[in-house]
Amino acid sequence: MSCNQFCSCRSRRPLASSTFFHSATTFLSKPSLITVTEEPDTLFQKVSLLVKGHDKSVLDSYELFATMAAKELGITISKVCDLPKDTERFTLLKSVHIFKNHRVQYEMRTHYRFVELSHLTGSTAQVYLEYVQRNLPEGVAMEVTKIAMEKVPDHILKPMWEEDPIDKKISQ
């Protein structure tokens, strides 16, 4: 059996502690797609994912995927829970005109999963959500809710009792 350049076989020599696994030099002919801006990155206190679907096993595996992706990116997961399922039943008559006692019942179950991530930057949230949404399986829907943190306005920072014009008039 011969090895070609695309084969993943390696020689059986022991690896030294100073061995580098990936060392590559890249020369880009076009400019980088990364842009640096002066404006600060937005901070999110919470990002909530509500995932719903009809197949429970698909939701279980997707929940595992989403939590593993968050752990790989270093995102803190504050809550993961199963919400109660919704059951919707339809009753239809088998016959078109008569025989009311011959019926068929159909049932649709919608299962829910809730994942809450806390203390994210805007760029991390964007990368994570894009990755998770691209790998969303068929028959599964996802709702994303973001709660952003904002700077406290300047007029609220100073206590009211320090700048009260009524007290200054009374003391004079």
Side-chain angles (χ1 to χ4, degrees), residues 11-169:
S11 61
R12 298 290 181 192
R13 66 177 184 209
L15 295 174
S17 62
S18 64
T19 303
F20 295 103
F21 285 44
H22 286 286
S23 61
T25 307
T26 58
F27 297 102
L28 297 175
S29 60
K30 55 185 176 180
S32 170
L33 297 177
I34 299 173
T35 57
V36 178
T37 60
E38 294 297 323
E39 54 190 58
D41 202 5
T42 57
L43 298 175
F44 293 108
Q45 182 181 7
K46 280 193 254 179
V47 175
S48 304
L49 305 174
L50 178 65
V51 184
K52 51 187 167 182
H54 297 295
D55 193 2
K56 188 176 180 180
S57 60
V58 171
L59 281 182
D60 289 338
S61 67
Y62 188 70
E63 175 190 333
L64 179 68
F65 165 75
T67 54
M68 284 179 61
K71 286 178 186 174
E72 286 294 320
L73 287 173
I75 300 171
T76 56
I77 302 169
S78 58
K79 216 187 276 187
V80 176
C81 60
D82 299 348
L83 298 176
K85 66 181 176 191
D86 285 342
T87 305
E88 200 171 335
R89 291 191 179 116
F90 299 104
T91 304
L92 300 174
L93 294 175
K94 279 187 181 180
S95 173
V96 179
H97 299 293
I98 54 174
F99 304 115
K100 194 173 180 178
N101 52 356
H102 296 285
R103 299 174 185 216
V104 177
Q105 286 192 335
Y106 297 101
E107 182 175 277
M108 281 187 357
R109 297 180 188 144
T110 306
H111 300 275
Y112 297 95
R113 293 287 186 279
F114 182 75
V115 179
E116 187 174 88
L117 311 168
S118 60
H119 305 295
L120 287 159
T121 61
S123 57
T124 307
Q126 181 183 2
V127 167
Y128 174 74
L129 290 174
E130 183 178 340
Y131 179 63
V132 167
Q133 286 174 351
R134 284 185 184 223
N135 293 307
L136 196 67
E138 284 193 23
V140 175
M142 181 167 60
E143 294 178 17
V144 178
T145 306
K146 299 177 186 176
I147 299 175
M149 297 173 74
E150 293 184 3
K151 183 180 174 185
V152 178
D154 293 334
H155 68 278
I156 297 177
L157 284 177
K158 297 178 183 175
M160 291 178 63
W161 56 84
E162 288 182 4
E163 294 184 11
D164 197 6
I166 297 172
D167 292 339
K168 290 180 182 177
K169 290 179 184 176

